[in-house]
mmCIF file with all atom_site columns, all heavy atoms in Angstrom:
data_model
loop_
_atom_site.group_PDB
_atom_site.id
_atom_site.type_symbol
_atom_site.label_atom_id
_atom_site.label_alt_id
_atom_site.label_comp_id
_atom_site.label_asym_id
_atom_site.label_entity_id
_atom_site.label_seq_id
_atom_site.pdbx_PDB_ins_code
_atom_site.Cartn_x
_atom_site.Cartn_y
_atom_site.Cartn_z
_atom_site.occupancy
_atom_site.B_iso_or_equiv
_atom_site.pdbx_formal_charge
_atom_site.auth_seq_id
_atom_site.auth_comp_id
_atom_site.auth_asym_id
_atom_site.auth_atom_id
_atom_site.pdbx_PDB_model_num
ATOM 1  N N   . LEU A 1 146 ? -1.327 4.284  -17.278 1.00 0.00 ? 162 LEU A N   1
ATOM 2  C CA  . LEU A 1 146 ? -1.856 3.383  -16.245 1.00 0.00 ? 162 LEU A CA  1
ATOM 3  C C   . LEU A 1 146 ? -0.728 2.505  -15.678 1.00 0.00 ? 162 LEU A C   1
ATOM 4  O O   . LEU A 1 146 ? -0.661 2.274  -14.472 1.00 0.00 ? 162 LEU A O   1
ATOM 5  C CB  . LEU A 1 146 ? -2.965 2.500  -16.832 1.00 0.00 ? 162 LEU A CB  1
ATOM 6  C CG  . LEU A 1 146 ? -4.287 3.225  -17.078 1.00 0.00 ? 162 LEU A CG  1
ATOM 7  C CD1 . LEU A 1 146 ? -5.290 2.307  -17.772 1.00 0.00 ? 162 LEU A CD1 1
ATOM 8  C CD2 . LEU A 1 146 ? -4.888 3.724  -15.764 1.00 0.00 ? 162 LEU A CD2 1
ATOM 9  N N   . HIS A 1 147 ? 0.151  2.050  -16.562 1.00 0.00 ? 163 HIS A N   1
ATOM 10 C CA  . HIS A 1 147 ? 1.291  1.230  -16.112 1.00 0.00 ? 163 HIS A CA  1
ATOM 11 C C   . HIS A 1 147 ? 2.133  2.022  -15.092 1.00 0.00 ? 163 HIS A C   1
ATOM 12 O O   . HIS A 1 147 ? 2.495  1.513  -14.031 1.00 0.00 ? 163 HIS A O   1
ATOM 13 C CB  . HIS A 1 147 ? 2.133  0.855  -17.337 1.00 0.00 ? 163 HIS A CB  1
ATOM 14 C CG  . HIS A 1 147 ? 3.386  0.093  -17.013 1.00 0.00 ? 163 HIS A CG  1
ATOM 15 N ND1 . HIS A 1 147 ? 3.383  -1.228 -16.631 1.00 0.00 ? 163 HIS A ND1 1
ATOM 16 C CD2 . HIS A 1 147 ? 4.692  0.484  -17.005 1.00 0.00 ? 163 HIS A CD2 1
ATOM 17 C CE1 . HIS A 1 147 ? 4.620  -1.618 -16.414 1.00 0.00 ? 163 HIS A CE1 1
ATOM 18 N NE2 . HIS A 1 147 ? 5.433  -0.606 -16.628 1.00 0.00 ? 163 HIS A NE2 1
ATOM 19 N N   . ALA A 1 148 ? 2.391  3.291  -15.442 1.00 0.00 ? 164 ALA A N   1
ATOM 20 C CA  . ALA A 1 148 ? 3.212  4.123  -14.553 1.00 0.00 ? 164 ALA A CA  1
ATOM 21 C C   . ALA A 1 148 ? 2.471  4.380  -13.236 1.00 0.00 ? 164 ALA A C   1
ATOM 22 O O   . ALA A 1 148 ? 3.059  4.272  -12.152 1.00 0.00 ? 164 ALA A O   1
ATOM 23 C CB  . ALA A 1 148 ? 3.543  5.446  -15.237 1.00 0.00 ? 164 ALA A CB  1
ATOM 24 N N   . CYS A 1 149 ? 1.178  4.696  -13.324 1.00 0.00 ? 165 CYS A N   1
ATOM 25 C CA  . CYS A 1 149 ? 0.430  5.058  -12.105 1.00 0.00 ? 165 CYS A CA  1
ATOM 26 C C   . CYS A 1 149 ? 0.311  3.858  -11.161 1.00 0.00 ? 165 CYS A C   1
ATOM 27 O O   . CYS A 1 149 ? 0.446  4.009  -9.945  1.00 0.00 ? 165 CYS A O   1
ATOM 28 C CB  . CYS A 1 149 ? -0.969 5.572  -12.461 1.00 0.00 ? 165 CYS A CB  1
ATOM 29 S SG  . CYS A 1 149 ? -0.894 7.195  -13.203 1.00 0.00 ? 165 CYS A SG  1
ATOM 30 N N   . ILE A 1 150 ? 0.070  2.675  -11.727 1.00 0.00 ? 166 ILE A N   1
ATOM 31 C CA  . ILE A 1 150 ? -0.031 1.485  -10.859 1.00 0.00 ? 166 ILE A CA  1
ATOM 32 C C   . ILE A 1 150 ? 1.314  1.272  -10.157 1.00 0.00 ? 166 ILE A C   1
ATOM 33 O O   . ILE A 1 150 ? 1.376  1.024  -8.959  1.00 0.00 ? 166 ILE A O   1
ATOM 34 C CB  . ILE A 1 150 ? -0.424 0.230  -11.684 1.00 0.00 ? 166 ILE A CB  1
ATOM 35 C CG1 . ILE A 1 150 ? -1.832 0.386  -12.238 1.00 0.00 ? 166 ILE A CG1 1
ATOM 36 C CG2 . ILE A 1 150 ? -0.368 -1.017 -10.808 1.00 0.00 ? 166 ILE A CG2 1
ATOM 37 C CD1 . ILE A 1 150 ? -2.242 -0.718 -13.205 1.00 0.00 ? 166 ILE A CD1 1
ATOM 38 N N   . GLY A 1 151 ? 2.393  1.402  -10.936 1.00 0.00 ? 167 GLY A N   1
ATOM 39 C CA  . GLY A 1 151 ? 3.729  1.213  -10.355 1.00 0.00 ? 167 GLY A CA  1
ATOM 40 C C   . GLY A 1 151 ? 3.995  2.207  -9.245  1.00 0.00 ? 167 GLY A C   1
ATOM 41 O O   . GLY A 1 151 ? 4.464  1.838  -8.165  1.00 0.00 ? 167 GLY A O   1
ATOM 42 N N   . ILE A 1 152 ? 3.672  3.474  -9.489  1.00 0.00 ? 168 ILE A N   1
ATOM 43 C CA  . ILE A 1 152 ? 3.935  4.508  -8.482  1.00 0.00 ? 168 ILE A CA  1
ATOM 44 C C   . ILE A 1 152 ? 3.087  4.250  -7.236  1.00 0.00 ? 168 ILE A C   1
ATOM 45 O O   . ILE A 1 152 ? 3.579  4.271  -6.111  1.00 0.00 ? 168 ILE A O   1
ATOM 46 C CB  . ILE A 1 152 ? 3.613  5.909  -9.053  1.00 0.00 ? 168 ILE A CB  1
ATOM 47 C CG1 . ILE A 1 152 ? 4.602  6.240  -10.163 1.00 0.00 ? 168 ILE A CG1 1
ATOM 48 C CG2 . ILE A 1 152 ? 3.658  6.973  -7.968  1.00 0.00 ? 168 ILE A CG2 1
ATOM 49 C CD1 . ILE A 1 152 ? 4.216  7.447  -10.977 1.00 0.00 ? 168 ILE A CD1 1
ATOM 50 N N   . HIS A 1 153 ? 1.810  3.970  -7.468  1.00 0.00 ? 169 HIS A N   1
ATOM 51 C CA  . HIS A 1 153 ? 0.908  3.770  -6.333  1.00 0.00 ? 169 HIS A CA  1
ATOM 52 C C   . HIS A 1 153 ? 1.386  2.606  -5.454  1.00 0.00 ? 169 HIS A C   1
ATOM 53 O O   . HIS A 1 153 ? 1.470  2.733  -4.231  1.00 0.00 ? 169 HIS A O   1
ATOM 54 C CB  . HIS A 1 153 ? -0.509 3.506  -6.835  1.00 0.00 ? 169 HIS A CB  1
ATOM 55 C CG  . HIS A 1 153 ? -1.455 3.101  -5.747  1.00 0.00 ? 169 HIS A CG  1
ATOM 56 N ND1 . HIS A 1 153 ? -1.862 3.986  -4.771  1.00 0.00 ? 169 HIS A ND1 1
ATOM 57 C CD2 . HIS A 1 153 ? -2.039 1.918  -5.448  1.00 0.00 ? 169 HIS A CD2 1
ATOM 58 C CE1 . HIS A 1 153 ? -2.668 3.353  -3.927  1.00 0.00 ? 169 HIS A CE1 1
ATOM 59 N NE2 . HIS A 1 153 ? -2.786 2.096  -4.314  1.00 0.00 ? 169 HIS A NE2 1
ATOM 60 N N   . TYR A 1 154 ? 1.722  1.488  -6.089  1.00 0.00 ? 170 TYR A N   1
ATOM 61 C CA  . TYR A 1 154 ? 2.097  0.327  -5.290  1.00 0.00 ? 170 TYR A CA  1
ATOM 62 C C   . TYR A 1 154 ? 3.516  0.420  -4.725  1.00 0.00 ? 170 TYR A C   1
ATOM 63 O O   . TYR A 1 154 ? 3.873  -0.314 -3.819  1.00 0.00 ? 170 TYR A O   1
ATOM 64 C CB  . TYR A 1 154 ? 1.870  -0.964 -6.075  1.00 0.00 ? 170 TYR A CB  1
ATOM 65 C CG  . TYR A 1 154 ? 0.403  -1.310 -6.077  1.00 0.00 ? 170 TYR A CG  1
ATOM 66 C CD1 . TYR A 1 154 ? -0.420 -0.938 -7.124  1.00 0.00 ? 170 TYR A CD1 1
ATOM 67 C CD2 . TYR A 1 154 ? -0.179 -1.942 -4.985  1.00 0.00 ? 170 TYR A CD2 1
ATOM 68 C CE1 . TYR A 1 154 ? -1.784 -1.209 -7.106  1.00 0.00 ? 170 TYR A CE1 1
ATOM 69 C CE2 . TYR A 1 154 ? -1.532 -2.214 -4.947  1.00 0.00 ? 170 TYR A CE2 1
ATOM 70 C CZ  . TYR A 1 154 ? -2.325 -1.850 -6.008  1.00 0.00 ? 170 TYR A CZ  1
ATOM 71 O OH  . TYR A 1 154 ? -3.665 -2.106 -5.961  1.00 0.00 ? 170 TYR A OH  1
ATOM 72 N N   . SER A 1 155 ? 4.310  1.331  -5.285  1.00 0.00 ? 171 SER A N   1
ATOM 73 C CA  . SER A 1 155 ? 5.634  1.536  -4.684  1.00 0.00 ? 171 SER A CA  1
ATOM 74 C C   . SER A 1 155 ? 5.531  2.416  -3.450  1.00 0.00 ? 171 SER A C   1
ATOM 75 O O   . SER A 1 155 ? 6.296  2.279  -2.511  1.00 0.00 ? 171 SER A O   1
ATOM 76 C CB  . SER A 1 155 ? 6.574  2.244  -5.656  1.00 0.00 ? 171 SER A CB  1
ATOM 77 O OG  . SER A 1 155 ? 6.834  1.432  -6.733  1.00 0.00 ? 171 SER A OG  1
ATOM 78 N N   . LEU A 1 156 ? 4.588  3.352  -3.496  1.00 0.00 ? 172 LEU A N   1
ATOM 79 C CA  . LEU A 1 156 ? 4.555  4.371  -2.442  1.00 0.00 ? 172 LEU A CA  1
ATOM 80 C C   . LEU A 1 156 ? 3.515  4.119  -1.368  1.00 0.00 ? 172 LEU A C   1
ATOM 81 O O   . LEU A 1 156 ? 3.546  4.761  -0.329  1.00 0.00 ? 172 LEU A O   1
ATOM 82 C CB  . LEU A 1 156 ? 4.249  5.748  -3.068  1.00 0.00 ? 172 LEU A CB  1
ATOM 83 C CG  . LEU A 1 156 ? 5.252  6.289  -4.068  1.00 0.00 ? 172 LEU A CG  1
ATOM 84 C CD1 . LEU A 1 156 ? 4.794  7.648  -4.568  1.00 0.00 ? 172 LEU A CD1 1
ATOM 85 C CD2 . LEU A 1 156 ? 6.626  6.421  -3.422  1.00 0.00 ? 172 LEU A CD2 1
ATOM 86 N N   . ARG A 1 157 ? 2.609  3.196  -1.602  1.00 0.00 ? 173 ARG A N   1
ATOM 87 C CA  . ARG A 1 157 ? 1.411  3.192  -0.762  1.00 0.00 ? 173 ARG A CA  1
ATOM 88 C C   . ARG A 1 157 ? 1.672  2.862  0.694   1.00 0.00 ? 173 ARG A C   1
ATOM 89 O O   . ARG A 1 157 ? 0.837  3.104  1.543   1.00 0.00 ? 173 ARG A O   1
ATOM 90 C CB  . ARG A 1 157 ? 0.350  2.261  -1.327  1.00 0.00 ? 173 ARG A CB  1
ATOM 91 C CG  . ARG A 1 157 ? 0.714  0.817  -1.262  1.00 0.00 ? 173 ARG A CG  1
ATOM 92 C CD  . ARG A 1 157 ? -0.380 -0.003 -1.876  1.00 0.00 ? 173 ARG A CD  1
ATOM 93 N NE  . ARG A 1 157 ? -0.060 -1.394 -1.760  1.00 0.00 ? 173 ARG A NE  1
ATOM 94 C CZ  . ARG A 1 157 ? -0.947 -2.334 -1.561  1.00 0.00 ? 173 ARG A CZ  1
ATOM 95 N NH1 . ARG A 1 157 ? -2.207 -2.040 -1.456  1.00 0.00 ? 173 ARG A NH1 1
ATOM 96 N NH2 . ARG A 1 157 ? -0.576 -3.584 -1.475  1.00 0.00 ? 173 ARG A NH2 1
#
Side-chain angles (χ1 to χ4, degrees):
L162 286 175
H163 176 74
C165 288
I166 294 173
I168 293 168
H169 172 69
Y170 282 95
S171 294
L172 298 180
R173 68 182 183 145

